[in-house]
Amino acid sequence: MAISPPEQRIWWNQKVERGELVWIVIAFLWGLLMFFMMVYWHLYGKQNLSGEVYRIDPAVYEQRVEAFAEKYKIGEEADMPVVKAPPGGDTYMLARLWQWWPILQLQKGQTYRLHLSSLDWQHGFSLQPVNINIQIHPGIEHIITLTPTEAGDFTVVCNEFCGIGHHTMVGRIHVVE
Ligand code: CUA
């Protein structure tokens, strides 16, 4: 660590070492390549999520999710409603201290618009075992268009530390045939 100024105060006029210059050029070109690969992977690699993001009042979001859950509820599991989302339509999940609510039932091969938001503070939406990670903030609504390709039980893990109950904040999505 430098605790005194460089001997030559006008250091930026000095010739850059050849080796250093080579690394600067490599890093620059790599960064440029990765920038364009982001767009390519989005279009052809299907790796990046096609998300839409809107501002929303947490209270309004809560009402929407509750109305959705009430309308399409098919059962209960661990004191939480299990909601069968309408195929091809809007489906909702909300994050709050310390739960992902409600439990969703989706159908394999159908496309859904999944809405996600938080009512209190930052939470994480980490869909397991598939590797999808989204930061969820209050006041911001994410809409993800997704089509489950496999049946089974999926877990939503909160991966942003949100306090004493963080480790218990686990949601569920059932995908049926
Ligand atoms: Cu919610 Cu950690």
Side-chain angles (χ1 to χ4, degrees):
M1 188 174 71
I3 52 170
S4 53
E7 267 170 46
Q8 285 166 306
R9 300 301 292 256
I10 312 295
W11 52 268
W12 55 84
N13 276 348
Q14 289 173 40
K15 211 164 166 274
V16 180
E17 280 287 327
R18 193 186 156 75
E20 194 177 353
L21 199 62
V22 168
W23 280 114
I24 290 171
V25 170
I26 290 173
F28 177 74
L29 291 178
W30 184 252
L32 208 58
L33 175 73
M34 284 295 125
F35 177 80
F36 288 107
M37 286 307 280
M38 259 190 330
V39 182
Y40 175 81
W41 279 320
H42 178 79
L43 294 172
Y44 298 101
K46 294 182 177 170
Q47 288 195 11
N48 296 353
L49 294 170
S50 299
E52 298 163 48
V53 179
Y54 304 99
R55 284 195 186 281
I56 192 164
D57 187 280
V60 173
Y61 189 75
E62 184 177 27
Q63 280 172 8
R64 279 187 203 170
V65 184
E66 272 169 9
F68 161 81
E70 202 173 307
K71 192 169 174 189
Y72 298 107
K73 183 178 166 178
I74 53 164
E76 286 230 356
E77 218 180 279
D79 290 335
M80 218 184 264
V82 179
V83 180
K84 187 182 174 200
D90 290 298
T91 178
Y92 296 82
M93 258 185 141
L94 65 80
R96 66 184 159 208
L97 300 173
W98 284 278
Q99 55 181 200
W100 273 105
W101 191 94
I103 295 170
L104 294 181
Q105 182 182 304
L106 307 179
Q107 207 178 322
K108 182 182 154 183
Q110 295 286 346
T111 301
Y112 298 87
R113 278 163 63 78
L114 175 62
H115 298 240
L116 302 168
S117 191
S118 164
L119 299 192
D120 33 49
W121 61 62
Q122 179 179 254
H123 297 284
F125 178 92
S126 172
L127 188 64
Q128 303 295 332
V130 288
N131 190 19
I132 291 178
N133 283 291
I134 307 162
Q135 264 179 311
I136 306 298
H137 296 269
I140 304 283
E141 181 183 29
H142 280 264
I143 306 177
I144 292 129
T145 304
L146 68 84
T147 310
T149 53
E150 260 175 63
D153 291 339
F154 295 83
T155 307
V156 178
V157 176
C158 177
N159 59 1
E160 301 288 347
F161 184 70
C162 56
I164 197 138
H166 164 70
H167 64 288
T168 65
M169 189 169 166
V170 177
R172 299 208 180 279
I173 297 177
H174 301 309
V175 178
V176 296
E177 291 283 349

